[in-house]
Amino acid sequence: RNWLGLAADVGTLQRFPKLVGFGSRVRELCFTGEDFSPEDALNIGFVSRISKSESQLFEEANKIMSKIIANSPVAVTVTKSSLNYSRDHTVREGLDHVALTN
């Protein structure tokens, strides 16, 4: 956190924008070291939804899990691999990667 005078040397500045983009709110959070709310996390795409309680969290997670496991395990695995690979590579490299995997 920069308000403590610490350098961000654990990869946060490298990983965070790759996950949520380089928008002005992300930059503001990085420059100020400010904590962010669940609503901020939702708005910048860091989370996909907010739960009101632990039981609601598990209910929503189980709904998502049920949708995922209804799909082909191979398709889910290849999709996950492609998404992770493409995050750090060009579109062309991502297309080449998925062509090798399919």
Side-chain angles (χ1 to χ4, degrees):
R1 302 192 40 146
N2 32 350
W3 59 268
L4 293 174
L6 300 175
D9 60 354
V10 293
T12 304
L13 295 177
Q14 292 71 33
R15 291 182 183 99
F16 192 49
K18 288 184 179 187
L19 295 173
V20 299
F22 292 87
S24 63
R25 182 65 177 138
V26 171
R27 291 174 179 273
E28 180 183 333
L29 290 168
C30 291
F31 293 148
T32 64
E34 175 185 335
D35 289 334
F36 54 97
S37 68
E39 291 76 20
D40 270 334
L42 182 64
N43 290 335
I44 63 175
F46 194 58
V47 298
S48 59
R49 57 186 47 82
I50 300 170
S51 299
K52 302 276 185 217
S53 66
E54 187 175 326
S55 62
Q56 183 188 21
L57 169 69
F58 284 106
E59 184 179 322
E60 288 293 319
N62 282 323
K63 286 180 188 176
I64 295 166
M65 177 199 59
S66 294
K67 290 178 182 178
I68 294 170
I69 64 173
N71 293 320
S72 156
V74 173
V76 172
T77 301
V78 171
T79 298
K80 180 180 177 182
S81 174
S82 181
L83 287 169
N84 288 338
Y85 184 88
S86 294
R87 178 187 57 219
D88 299 324
H89 295 84
T90 66
V91 172
R92 176 80 264 155
E93 291 168 334
L95 290 169
D96 291 343
H97 178 261
V98 79
L100 291 172
T101 314
N102 285 334

Coordinates of all heavy atoms in Angstrom, one line a residue:
R1 N 0.8 -1.2 0.0 CA 0.0 0.0 0.0 C 0.9 1.2 0.0 O 1.7 1.4 0.9 CB -0.9 0.0 1.2 CG -1.7 -1.3 1.2 CD -2.8 -1.3 2.2 NE -3.4 0.0 2.3 CZ -4.7 0.1 2.6 NH1 -5.4 -0.9 2.7 NH2 -5.2 1.3 2.7
N2 N 0.7 2.1 -0.9 CA 1.6 3.3 -1.0 C 1.4 4.3 0.1 O 2.3 5.0 0.4 CB 1.5 4.0 -2.4 CG 0.2 3.9 -3.1 OD1 -0.7 3.2 -2.6 ND2 0.1 4.6 -4.1
W3 N 0.3 4.3 0.8 CA 0.2 5.3 1.9 C 1.0 4.8 3.1 O 1.3 5.6 3.9 CB -1.3 5.5 2.3 CG -2.1 4.4 2.7 CD1 -2.9 3.6 2.0 CD2 -2.2 3.8 4.1 NE1 -3.5 2.6 2.7 CE2 -3.1 2.7 4.0 CE3 -1.7 4.1 5.3 CZ2 -3.4 2.0 5.1 CZ3 -2.0 3.4 6.4 CH2 -2.9 2.3 6.3
L4 N 1.5 3.6 3.1 CA 2.5 3.1 4.1 C 3.9 3.4 3.6 O 4.8 3.1 4.3 CB 2.3 1.7 4.4 CG 1.0 1.3 5.1 CD1 0.9 -0.3 5.2 CD2 0.9 1.9 6.4
G5 N 4.0 3.8 2.3 CA 5.3 4.0 1.8 C 6.0 2.7 1.2 O 7.2 2.7 1.1
L6 N 5.2 1.7 1.0 CA 5.7 0.4 0.5 C 5.6 0.4 -1.0 O 4.7 0.8 -1.6 CB 5.0 -0.7 1.1 CG 5.0 -0.8 2.6 CD1 4.1 -2.0 3.0 CD2 6.4 -1.1 3.1
A7 N 6.6 -0.3 -1.6 CA 6.6 -0.5 -3.1 C 5.7 -1.7 -3.4 O 5.7 -2.7 -2.6 CB 8.0 -0.7 -3.6
A8 N 4.9 -1.6 -4.4 CA 4.1 -2.8 -4.8 C 5.0 -3.8 -5.6 O 5.0 -3.8 -6.8 CB 2.9 -2.3 -5.7
D9 N 5.6 -4.6 -4.8 CA 6.6 -5.5 -5.4 C 6.2 -7.0 -5.4 O 7.0 -7.9 -5.6 CB 8.0 -5.4 -4.7 CG 7.9 -5.7 -3.2 OD1 6.8 -6.0 -2.7 OD2 9.0 -5.7 -2.6
V10 N 4.9 -7.2 -5.2 CA 4.4 -8.6 -5.2 C 3.6 -8.9 -6.4 O 2.9 -10.0 -6.4 CB 3.6 -8.9 -3.9 CG1 4.5 -8.9 -2.7 CG2 2.5 -8.0 -3.7
G11 N 3.6 -8.0 -7.4 CA 2.9 -8.3 -8.6 C 1.5 -7.7 -8.7 O 0.8 -7.9 -9.7
T12 N 1.0 -7.0 -7.7 CA -0.3 -6.4 -7.7 C -0.5 -5.5 -8.9 O -1.5 -5.6 -9.6 CB -0.6 -5.7 -6.4 OG1 -0.4 -6.6 -5.3 CG2 -2.1 -5.2 -6.4
L13 N 0.4 -4.6 -9.1 CA 0.3 -3.6 -10.2 C 0.3 -4.3 -11.6 O -0.2 -3.8 -12.5 CB 1.4 -2.5 -10.1 CG 1.3 -1.6 -8.9 CD1 2.4 -0.6 -8.9 CD2 -0.1 -0.9 -8.8
Q14 N 1.0 -5.4 -11.6 CA 1.1 -6.2 -12.9 C -0.2 -7.0 -13.1 O -0.6 -7.1 -14.3 CB 2.3 -7.1 -12.9 CG 3.6 -6.3 -12.9 CD 4.0 -5.6 -11.6 OE1 3.6 -6.1 -10.6 NE2 4.6 -4.5 -11.7
R15 N -0.7 -7.6 -12.1 CA -1.9 -8.5 -12.2 C -3.2 -7.8 -12.2 O -4.1 -8.2 -13.0 CB -1.8 -9.6 -11.1 CG -0.7 -10.5 -11.2 CD -0.7 -11.6 -10.1 NE 0.4 -12.4 -10.2 CZ 1.5 -12.3 -9.4 NH1 1.6 -11.3 -8.5 NH2 2.5 -13.2 -9.5
F16 N -3.4 -6.9 -11.3 CA -4.7 -6.2 -11.1 C -5.3 -5.6 -12.4 O -6.4 -6.0 -12.8 CB -4.6 -5.2 -10.0 CG -5.9 -4.7 -9.5 CD1 -7.0 -5.5 -9.1 CD2 -6.1 -3.3 -9.3 CE1 -8.2 -5.1 -8.7 CE2 -7.3 -2.8 -8.9 CZ -8.3 -3.7 -8.5
P17 N -4.5 -4.8 -13.2 CA -5.1 -4.3 -14.4 C -5.4 -5.3 -15.5 O -6.3 -5.2 -16.3 CB -4.0 -3.3 -14.9 CG -3.2 -3.0 -13.7 CD -3.2 -4.2 -12.9
K18 N -4.6 -6.4 -15.5 CA -4.9 -7.5 -16.4 C -6.2 -8.2 -16.1 O -6.9 -8.7 -17.0 CB -3.8 -8.5 -16.4 CG -2.5 -8.0 -17.1 CD -1.5 -9.0 -17.2 CE -0.3 -8.5 -17.9 NZ 0.8 -9.4 -18.1
L19 N -6.6 -8.2 -14.8 CA -7.9 -8.8 -14.4 C -9.1 -7.9 -14.7 O -10.1 -8.3 -15.1 CB -7.8 -9.1 -13.0 CG -6.8 -10.2 -12.6 CD1 -6.8 -10.4 -11.0 CD2 -7.2 -11.5 -13.2
V20 N -8.9 -6.6 -14.4 CA -10.0 -5.7 -14.5 C -9.9 -4.5 -15.5 O -10.8 -3.7 -15.6 CB -10.4 -5.1 -13.1 CG1 -10.7 -6.2 -12.1 CG2 -9.2 -4.3 -12.5
G21 N -8.8 -4.4 -16.1 CA -8.6 -3.3 -17.1 C -7.8 -2.2 -16.5 O -7.4 -2.2 -15.3
F22 N -7.6 -1.2 -17.3 CA -6.7 0.0 -16.9 C -7.5 1.3 -16.7 O -7.0 2.3 -16.8 CB -5.6 0.2 -17.9 CG -4.6 -0.9 -18.0 CD1 -4.8 -2.0 -18.8 CD2 -3.4 -0.8 -17.3 CE1 -3.9 -3.0 -18.9 CE2 -2.5 -1.8 -17.3 CZ -2.7 -2.9 -18.1
G23 N -8.8 1.1 -16.3 CA -9.7 2.2 -16.1 C -9.2 3.2 -15.1 O -8.3 2.9 -14.2
S24 N -9.8 4.4 -15.0 CA -9.4 5.4 -14.1 C -9.6 5.0 -12.7 O -8.8 5.4 -11.8 CB -10.2 6.7 -14.4 OG -11.5 6.6 -14.2
R25 N -10.7 4.3 -12.4 CA -10.9 3.9 -11.0 C -9.8 2.9 -10.5 O -9.3 3.0 -9.4 CB -12.3 3.2 -10.8 CG -12.6 2.8 -9.4 CD -12.7 4.0 -8.4 NE -13.1 3.5 -7.1 CZ -12.5 4.0 -6.0 NH1 -11.6 4.9 -6.0 NH2 -12.9 3.5 -4.8
V26 N -9.4 2.0 -11.4 CA -8.2 1.1 -11.1 C -7.0 1.9 -10.8 O -6.3 1.7 -9.8 CB -8.0 0.1 -12.2 CG1 -6.7 -0.7 -12.0 CG2 -9.2 -0.8 -12.3
R27 N -6.7 2.9 -11.6 CA -5.6 3.8 -11.4 C -5.7 4.5 -10.1 O -4.7 4.6 -9.4 CB -5.4 4.7 -12.6 CG -5.0 4.0 -13.9 CD -5.0 5.0 -15.1 NE -4.6 4.3 -16.3 CZ -3.3 4.2 -16.6 NH1 -2.3 4.7 -15.9 NH2 -3.0 3.5 -17.7
E28 N -6.8 5.1 -9.9 CA -7.0 5.8 -8.6 C -6.8 4.9 -7.4 O -6.1 5.3 -6.4 CB -8.5 6.3 -8.5 CG -8.8 7.1 -7.3 CD -10.2 7.5 -7.2 OE1 -10.9 7.7 -8.3 OE2 -10.7 7.6 -6.1
L29 N -7.3 3.6 -7.4 CA -7.1 2.7 -6.3 C -5.6 2.4 -6.2 O -5.1 2.3 -5.0 CB -7.8 1.4 -6.5 CG -9.4 1.5 -6.4 CD1 -10.0 0.3 -6.9 CD2 -9.8 1.8 -5.0
C30 N -4.9 2.2 -7.3 CA -3.4 1.9 -7.2 C -2.6 3.1 -6.7 O -1.7 2.9 -5.9 CB -3.0 1.4 -8.6 SG -3.6 -0.2 -9.1
F31 N -3.0 4.3 -7.2 CA -2.2 5.5 -6.8 C -2.4 5.9 -5.3 O -1.5 6.3 -4.7 CB -2.5 6.7 -7.7 CG -2.1 6.5 -9.1 CD1 -2.8 7.1 -10.1 CD2 -0.9 5.8 -9.5 CE1 -2.4 7.0 -11.5 CE2 -0.5 5.7 -10.8 CZ -1.3 6.3 -11.8
T32 N -3.7 5.7 -4.9 CA -4.0 6.1 -3.5 C -3.8 5.0 -2.5 O -3.7 5.3 -1.3 CB -5.5 6.6 -3.4 OG1 -6.3 5.5 -3.7 CG2 -5.7 7.8 -4.4
G33 N -3.8 3.8 -2.9 CA -3.7 2.7 -1.9 C -5.0 2.5 -1.1 O -5.1 1.8 -0.1
E34 N -6.1 3.1 -1.6 CA -7.4 3.1 -0.9 C -8.0 1.7 -1.0 O -7.9 1.0 -1.9 CB -8.3 4.1 -1.7 CG -9.7 4.2 -1.3 CD -10.5 5.1 -2.2 OE1 -9.9 6.0 -2.8 OE2 -11.7 4.9 -2.3
D35 N -8.7 1.4 0.1 CA -9.5 0.1 0.1 C -10.7 0.4 -0.8 O -11.1 1.5 -1.0 CB -10.0 -0.2 1.5 CG -8.9 -0.7 2.5 OD1 -7.9 -1.2 2.0 OD2 -9.0 -0.5 3.7
F36 N -11.2 -0.7 -1.3 CA -12.4 -0.5 -2.2 C -13.5 -1.4 -1.7 O -13.3 -2.5 -1.1 CB -12.1 -0.7 -3.7 CG -11.5 -2.0 -4.1 CD1 -12.2 -3.1 -4.5 CD2 -10.1 -2.1 -4.0 CE1 -11.6 -4.3 -4.9 CE2 -9.5 -3.3 -4.4 CZ -10.2 -4.4 -4.9
S37 N -14.7 -0.9 -1.9 CA -15.9 -1.6 -1.4 C -16.3 -2.7 -2.3 O -15.9 -2.8 -3.5 CB -17.1 -0.5 -1.4 OG -17.4 -0.2 -2.7
P38 N -17.2 -3.6 -1.9 CA -17.8 -4.6 -2.7 C -18.4 -4.0 -4.0 O -18.3 -4.6 -5.1 CB -18.8 -5.3 -1.9 CG -18.4 -5.0 -0.5 CD -17.7 -3.7 -0.5
E39 N -19.1 -2.9 -3.9 CA -19.7 -2.2 -5.0 C -18.6 -1.8 -6.1 O -18.8 -1.9 -7.3 CB -20.6 -1.0 -4.6 CG -21.8 -1.4 -3.8 CD -21.5 -1.8 -2.4 OE1 -20.5 -1.5 -1.8 OE2 -22.4 -2.5 -1.8
D40 N -17.5 -1.3 -5.6 CA -16.4 -0.9 -6.5 C -15.9 -2.2 -7.2 O -15.6 -2.2 -8.3 CB -15.2 -0.3 -5.7 CG -15.3 1.2 -5.6 OD1 -15.9 1.9 -6.5 OD2 -14.8 1.8 -4.6
A41 N -15.7 -3.2 -6.4 CA -15.2 -4.5 -6.9 C -16.1 -5.0 -8.1 O -15.7 -5.4 -9.1 CB -15.0 -5.5 -5.9
L42 N -17.4 -4.9 -7.9 CA -18.4 -5.2 -8.9 C -18.3 -4.3 -10.1 O -18.3 -4.8 -11.2 CB -19.8 -5.2 -8.3 CG -20.9 -5.7 -9.2 CD1 -20.8 -7.1 -9.5 CD2 -22.3 -5.4 -8.5
N43 N -18.2 -3.0 -9.8 CA -18.2 -2.1 -10.9 C -17.0 -2.2 -11.8 O -17.1 -1.9 -13.0 CB -18.3 -0.6 -10.4 CG -19.7 -0.3 -9.9 OD1 -20.7 -1.0 -10.2 ND2 -19.8 0.6 -8.9
I44 N -15.9 -2.6 -11.3 CA -14.6 -2.7 -12.1 C -14.4 -4.1 -12.6 O -13.4 -4.3 -13.3 CB -13.4 -2.2 -11.3 CG1 -13.1 -3.0 -10.1 CG2 -13.5 -0.7 -11.0 CD1 -11.8 -2.6 -9.4
G45 N -15.3 -5.0 -12.3 CA -15.2 -6.3 -12.8 C -14.3 -7.3 -12.0 O -14.0 -8.4 -12.5
F46 N -14.0 -6.9 -10.8 CA -13.1 -7.8 -10.0 C -13.9 -8.9 -9.4 O -13.4 -10.0 -9.2 CB -12.5 -6.9 -8.8 CG -11.4 -7.6 -8.1 CD1 -10.2 -8.0 -8.8 CD2 -11.4 -7.8 -6.7 CE1 -9.2 -8.6 -8.1 CE2 -10.4 -8.3 -6.0 CZ -9.3 -8.7 -6.7
V47 N -15.2 -8.7 -9.2 CA -16.1 -9.8 -8.8 C -17.3 -9.7 -9.8 O -17.6 -8.7 -10.4 CB -16.6 -9.7 -7.3 CG1 -15.4 -9.8 -6.4 CG2 -17.4 -8.4 -7.1
S48 N -18.0 -10.8 -9.9 CA -19.2 -10.9 -10.8 C -20.5 -10.6 -10.1 O -21.5 -10.3 -10.7 CB -19.3 -12.2 -11.5 OG -19.4 -13.3 -10.6
R49 N -20.5 -10.7 -8.8 CA -21.8 -10.4 -8.0 C -21.4 -10.2 -6.5 O -20.3 -10.6 -6.1 CB -22.8 -11.5 -8.2 CG -22.3 -12.9 -7.8 CD -23.3 -14.0 -8.1 NE -23.9 -14.0 -9.4 CZ -23.4 -14.5 -10.5 NH1 -22.2 -15.0 -10.5 NH2 -24.0 -14.4 -11.7
I50 N -22.3 -9.7 -5.8 CA -22.2 -9.4 -4.4 C -23.3 -10.2 -3.6 O -24.4 -10.2 -4.0 CB -22.3 -7.9 -4.0 CG1 -21.2 -7.1 -4.8 CG2 -22.2 -7.7 -2.5 CD1 -21.4 -5.6 -4.7
S51 N -22.9 -10.9 -2.6 CA -23.9 -11.7 -1.8 C -24.1 -10.9 -0.5 O -23.3 -10.3 0.1 CB -23.3 -13.1 -1.5 OG -23.1 -13.8 -2.7
K52 N -25.4 -11.0 0.0 CA -25.8 -10.4 1.2 C -25.4 -11.2 2.5 O -25.3 -10.6 3.6 CB -27.3 -10.1 1.2 CG -27.8 -9.3 0.1 CD -27.6 -7.8 0.4 CE -28.3 -7.0 -0.7 NZ -27.5 -5.8 -1.0
S53 N -25.2 -12.5 2.3 CA -24.9 -13.3 3.4 C -24.1 -14.5 3.0 O -24.0 -14.8 1.8 CB -26.2 -13.9 4.1 OG -26.9 -14.7 3.1
E54 N -23.5 -15.2 3.9 CA -22.7 -16.4 3.6 C -23.6 -17.5 2.9 O -23.1 -18.1 2.0 CB -22.0 -16.9 4.9 CG -21.1 -18.1 4.6 CD -20.3 -18.5 5.8 OE1 -20.0 -17.7 6.7 OE2 -20.0 -19.7 5.9
S55 N -24.8 -17.6 3.4 CA -25.6 -18.7 2.8 C -26.0 -18.3 1.4 O -26.0 -19.2 0.5 CB -26.9 -18.9 3.7 OG -27.7 -17.7 3.7
Q56 N -26.2 -17.0 1.1 CA -26.5 -16.6 -0.3 C -25.3 -16.8 -1.1 O -25.4 -17.2 -2.3 CB -27.0 -15.1 -0.3 CG -27.3 -14.7 -1.7 CD -27.6 -13.2 -1.8 OE1 -27.2 -12.4 -1.0 NE2 -28.3 -12.8 -2.8
L57 N -24.1 -16.5 -0.6 CA -22.9 -16.7 -1.3 C -22.8 -18.2 -1.8 O -22.5 -18.4 -3.0 CB -21.7 -16.3 -0.5 CG -20.3 -16.7 -1.0 CD1 -19.9 -15.9 -2.2 CD2 -19.3 -16.5 0.1
F58 N -23.0 -19.1 -0.9 CA -22.9 -20.5 -1.2 C -24.0 -21.0 -2.2 O -23.7 -21.8 -3.1 CB -22.9 -21.4 0.0 CG -21.5 -21.4 0.7 CD1 -21.4 -20.7 1.9 CD2 -20.4 -22.0 0.2 CE1 -20.2 -20.6 2.6 CE2 -19.2 -21.9 0.9 CZ -19.1 -21.2 2.0
E59 N -25.2 -20.4 -2.0 CA -26.3 -20.7 -2.9 C -25.9 -20.3 -4.4 O -26.1 -21.0 -5.3 CB -27.5 -20.0 -2.4 CG -28.8 -20.3 -3.3 CD -30.0 -19.6 -2.7 OE1 -30.1 -19.5 -1.5 OE2 -30.8 -19.2 -3.5
E60 N -25.4 -19.0 -4.5 CA -25.1 -18.5 -5.8 C -23.9 -19.3 -6.4 O -23.9 -19.6 -7.6 CB -24.7 -17.0 -5.7 CG -25.9 -16.1 -5.5 CD -26.8 -16.1 -6.7 OE1 -26.4 -16.1 -7.8 OE2 -28.0 -16.1 -6.4
A61 N -22.9 -19.6 -5.6 CA -21.7 -20.4 -6.0 C -22.2 -21.8 -6.5 O -21.7 -22.2 -7.6 CB -20.7 -20.5 -4.9
N62 N -23.1 -22.4 -5.8 CA -23.6 -23.7 -6.3 C -24.4 -23.6 -7.6 O -24.3 -24.5 -8.4 CB -24.4 -24.3 -5.2 CG -23.6 -24.9 -4.1 OD1 -22.5 -25.5 -4.3 ND2 -24.0 -24.8 -2.8
K63 N -25.1 -22.5 -7.8 CA -25.9 -22.4 -9.0 C -24.9 -22.2 -10.2 O -25.1 -22.9 -11.3 CB -26.7 -21.1 -9.0 CG -28.0 -21.2 -8.2 CD -28.8 -19.9 -8.2 CE -29.9 -20.0 -7.2 NZ -30.6 -18.7 -7.2
I64 N -23.8 -21.4 -10.0 CA -22.8 -21.3 -11.1 C -22.1 -22.6 -11.3 O -21.9 -23.0 -12.5 CB -21.8 -20.2 -10.7 CG1 -22.5 -18.8 -10.6 CG2 -20.6 -20.1 -11.7 CD1 -21.7 -17.7 -9.9
M65 N -21.7 -23.3 -10.2 CA -21.0 -24.6 -10.4 C -21.9 -25.6 -11.1 O -21.4 -26.3 -12.0 CB -20.7 -25.1 -9.0 CG -20.0 -26.5 -9.0 SD -20.1 -27.4 -7.5 CE -21.9 -27.4 -7.2
S66 N -23.2 -25.6 -10.8 CA -24.1 -26.5 -11.5 C -24.1 -26.2 -13.0 O -24.1 -27.2 -13.8 CB -25.5 -26.4 -10.9 OG -25.5 -26.9 -9.6
K67 N -24.1 -25.0 -13.4 CA -24.1 -24.6 -14.8 C -22.8 -25.1 -15.5 O -22.8 -25.6 -16.6 CB -24.3 -23.1 -15.0 CG -25.7 -22.7 -14.7 CD -25.8 -21.1 -14.8 CE -27.1 -20.6 -14.5 NZ -27.2 -19.2 -14.6
I68 N -21.7 -24.9 -14.8 CA -20.3 -25.2 -15.3 C -20.2 -26.8 -15.5 O -19.8 -27.2 -16.5 CB -19.2 -24.7 -14.4 CG1 -19.2 -23.2 -14.5 CG2 -17.9 -25.3 -14.9 CD1 -18.3 -22.5 -13.5
I69 N -20.6 -27.5 -14.4 CA -20.4 -29.0 -14.5 C -21.4 -29.6 -15.5 O -21.2 -30.8 -15.8 CB -20.4 -29.6 -13.1 CG1 -21.8 -29.5 -12.5 CG2 -19.3 -29.1 -12.3 CD1 -21.9 -30.3 -11.2
A70 N -22.4 -28.9 -15.9 CA -23.3 -29.5 -16.9 C -22.7 -29.5 -18.3 O -23.1 -30.1 -19.2 CB -24.6 -28.6 -17.0
N71 N -21.6 -28.7 -18.5 CA -20.9 -28.7 -19.7 C -19.8 -29.7 -19.8 O -19.4 -30.3 -18.8 CB -20.2 -27.3 -19.9 CG -21.2 -26.2 -20.0 OD1 -22.2 -26.3 -20.7 ND2 -21.0 -25.1 -19.4
S72 N -19.3 -29.9 -21.0 CA -18.3 -30.9 -21.2 C -17.0 -30.5 -20.4 O -16.6 -29.4 -20.5 CB -17.9 -31.0 -22.7 OG -16.6 -31.4 -22.9
P73 N -16.5 -31.5 -19.7 CA -15.2 -31.2 -18.9 C -14.1 -30.7 -19.8 O -13.3 -29.9 -19.5 CB -14.9 -32.5 -18.2 CG -16.2 -33.3 -18.2 CD -16.9 -32.8 -19.4
V74 N -14.0 -31.3 -21.0 CA -13.0 -31.0 -21.9 C -13.2 -29.5 -22.4 O -12.2 -28.7 -22.4 CB -12.9 -31.9 -23.1 CG1 -11.9 -31.5 -24.2 CG2 -12.6 -33.3 -22.7
A75 N -14.4 -29.2 -22.7 CA -14.7 -27.8 -23.2 C -14.4 -26.8 -22.1 O -13.8 -25.7 -22.4 CB -16.1 -27.7 -23.6
V76 N -14.7 -27.1 -20.9 CA -14.4 -26.2 -19.8 C -12.9 -26.0 -19.5 O -12.4 -24.9 -19.4 CB -15.1 -26.7 -18.5 CG1 -14.7 -25.8 -17.3 CG2 -16.7 -26.6 -18.6
T77 N -12.2 -27.1 -19.6 CA -10.8 -27.1 -19.4 C -10.1 -26.3 -20.5 O -9.2 -25.5 -20.2 CB -10.2 -28.6 -19.3 OG1 -10.9 -29.2 -18.2 CG2 -8.7 -28.6 -19.1
V78 N -10.4 -26.6 -21.7 CA -9.8 -25.9 -22.8 C -10.2 -24.4 -22.8 O -9.3 -23.5 -23.1 CB -10.2 -26.5 -24.2 CG1 -9.8 -25.6 -25.4 CG2 -9.6 -27.9 -24.3
T79 N -11.4 -24.1 -22.4 CA -11.8 -22.7 -22.3 C -11.0 -21.9 -21.2 O -10.5 -20.8 -21.5 CB -13.3 -22.6 -22.0 OG1 -14.0 -23.1 -23.1 CG2 -13.8 -21.1 -21.9
K80 N -10.9 -22.6 -20.1 CA -10.1 -22.0 -19.0 C -8.7 -21.8 -19.4 O -8.1 -20.7 -19.2 CB -10.2 -22.9 -17.8 CG -9.4 -22.4 -16.6 CD -9.4 -23.3 -15.4 CE -8.6 -22.8 -14.3 NZ -8.6 -23.7 -13.1
S81 N -8.1 -22.8 -20.1 CA -6.7 -22.6 -20.5 C -6.6 -21.5 -21.5 O -5.6 -20.7 -21.5 CB -6.3 -24.0 -21.2 OG -5.0 -23.8 -21.7
S82 N -7.5 -21.4 -22.5 CA -7.5 -20.4 -23.5 C -7.6 -19.0 -22.9 O -6.9 -18.0 -23.3 CB -8.5 -20.6 -24.5 OG -8.5 -19.6 -25.5
L83 N -8.5 -18.8 -22.0 CA -8.7 -17.5 -21.3 C -7.5 -17.1 -20.5 O -7.0 -16.0 -20.6 CB -9.9 -17.6 -20.3 CG -11.3 -17.6 -20.9 CD1 -12.3 -17.9 -19.9 CD2 -11.6 -16.3 -21.6
N84 N -6.9 -18.0 -19.8 CA -5.7 -17.7 -19.0 C -4.5 -17.4 -20.0 O -3.8 -16.4 -19.7 CB -5.3 -18.9 -18.1 CG -6.2 -19.0 -16.9 OD1 -6.9 -18.0 -16.6 ND2 -6.3 -20.2 -16.4
Y85 N -4.3 -18.2 -21.0 CA -3.2 -17.9 -22.0 C -3.4 -16.6 -22.7 O -2.5 -15.8 -22.8 CB -3.2 -19.1 -23.0 CG -2.0 -18.9 -24.0 CD1 -0.8 -19.5 -23.6 CD2 -2.2 -18.3 -25.2 CE1 0.3 -19.4 -24.5 CE2 -1.1 -18.2 -26.1 CZ 0.1 -18.7 -25.7 OH 1.2 -18.6 -26.6
S86 N -4.6 -16.3 -23.2 CA -4.9 -15.1 -23.9 C -4.8 -13.8 -23.1 O -4.5 -12.8 -23.7 CB -6.3 -15.2 -24.6 OG -6.4 -16.3 -25.5
R87 N -4.9 -13.9 -21.8 CA -4.8 -12.8 -21.0 C -3.4 -12.1 -21.1 O -3.2 -10.9 -21.1 CB -5.0 -13.1 -19.5 CG -4.9 -12.0 -18.5 CD -4.9 -12.5 -17.1 NE -3.9 -13.5 -16.9 CZ -4.1 -14.6 -16.1 NH1 -5.3 -14.8 -15.5 NH2 -3.2 -15.5 -16.0
D88 N -2.4 -13.0 -21.4 CA -1.0 -12.5 -21.4 C -0.4 -12.6 -22.8 O 0.9 -12.4 -22.9 CB -0.1 -13.3 -20.4 CG -0.6 -13.2 -19.0 OD1 -1.1 -12.1 -18.6 OD2 -0.6 -14.2 -18.3
H89 N -1.2 -12.8 -23.8 CA -0.6 -12.9 -25.2 C -1.5 -12.1 -26.2 O -2.6 -11.7 -25.8 CB -0.6 -14.4 -25.6 CG 0.4 -15.2 -24.7 ND1 0.1 -15.7 -23.5 CD2 1.7 -15.5 -25.0 CE1 1.1 -16.4 -23.0 NE2 2.1 -16.2 -23.9
T90 N -1.0 -12.0 -27.3 CA -1.7 -11.3 -28.4 C -2.9 -12.1 -28.9 O -3.0 -13.3 -28.6 CB -0.8 -11.0 -29.6 OG1 -0.5 -12.2 -30.2 CG2 0.4 -10.2 -29.2
V91 N -3.8 -11.5 -29.6 CA -5.0 -12.2 -30.1 C -4.5 -13.4 -31.0 O -4.9 -14.5 -31.0 CB -5.9 -11.3 -30.9 CG1 -7.0 -12.1 -31.6 CG2 -6.5 -10.3 -29.9
R92 N -3.5 -13.0 -31.9 CA -2.9 -14.1 -32.8 C -2.4 -15.2 -32.0 O -2.6 -16.4 -32.4 CB -1.9 -13.4 -33.7 CG -1.1 -14.3 -34.6 CD -1.9 -14.7 -35.9 NE -2.6 -15.9 -35.7 CZ -3.7 -16.2 -36.4 NH1 -4.3 -15.4 -37.2 NH2 -4.4 -17.4 -36.2
E93 N -1.6 -15.0 -31.0 CA -1.0 -16.0 -30.2 C -2.1 -16.8 -29.5 O -2.0 -18.1 -29.4 CB -0.1 -15.4 -29.1 CG 1.2 -14.9 -29.7 CD 2.0 -14.1 -28.7 OE1 1.4 -13.5 -27.8 OE2 3.3 -14.0 -28.9
G94 N -3.2 -16.2 -29.1 CA -4.3 -16.8 -28.4 C -5.0 -17.8 -29.4 O -5.4 -18.9 -29.1
L95 N -5.2 -17.3 -30.6 CA -5.8 -18.1 -31.7 C -4.9 -19.3 -32.0 O -5.5 -20.4 -32.2 CB -6.1 -17.3 -32.9 CG -7.2 -16.2 -32.8 CD1 -7.2 -15.3 -34.0 CD2 -8.5 -16.9 -32.6
D96 N -3.6 -19.1 -32.1 CA -2.7 -20.2 -32.4 C -2.8 -21.2 -31.2 O -2.8 -22.5 -31.5 CB -1.3 -19.7 -32.6 CG -1.1 -18.9 -33.9 OD1 -2.0 -19.0 -34.7 OD2 -0.1 -18.2 -33.9
H97 N -2.8 -20.8 -30.0 CA -2.9 -21.6 -28.8 C -4.1 -22.5 -28.8 O -4.1 -23.7 -28.6 CB -2.8 -20.8 -27.6 CG -2.9 -21.6 -26.3 ND1 -4.0 -21.7 -25.6 CD2 -2.0 -22.3 -25.6 CE1 -3.8 -22.5 -24.5 NE2 -2.6 -22.8 -24.5
V98 N -5.3 -21.9 -29.1 CA -6.5 -22.6 -29.1 C -6.6 -23.6 -30.3 O -7.1 -24.7 -30.1 CB -7.8 -21.7 -29.0 CG1 -8.1 -21.1 -30.4 CG2 -9.0 -22.4 -28.4
A99 N -5.9 -23.3 -31.4 CA -5.9 -24.2 -32.5 C -5.1 -25.4 -32.2 O -5.4 -26.5 -32.6 CB -5.3 -23.5 -33.8
L100 N -4.1 -25.3 -31.4 CA -3.3 -26.4 -31.0 C -4.0 -27.3 -30.0 O -3.8 -28.5 -29.9 CB -1.9 -26.0 -30.4 CG -0.9 -25.3 -31.3 CD1 0.3 -24.8 -30.5 CD2 -0.4 -26.4 -32.3
T101 N -4.9 -26.7 -29.2 CA -5.6 -27.4 -28.2 C -6.8 -28.1 -28.7 O -7.2 -29.2 -28.1 CB -6.0 -26.4 -27.1 OG1 -4.9 -25.5 -26.8 CG2 -6.4 -27.1 -25.8
N102 N -7.4 -27.6 -29.7 CA -8.7 -28.2 -30.2 C -8.4 -29.4 -31.1 O -7.5 -29.6 -31.7 CB -9.5 -27.2 -31.0 CG -10.2 -26.3 -30.0 OD1 -10.5 -26.6 -28.9 ND2 -10.6 -25.1 -30.5

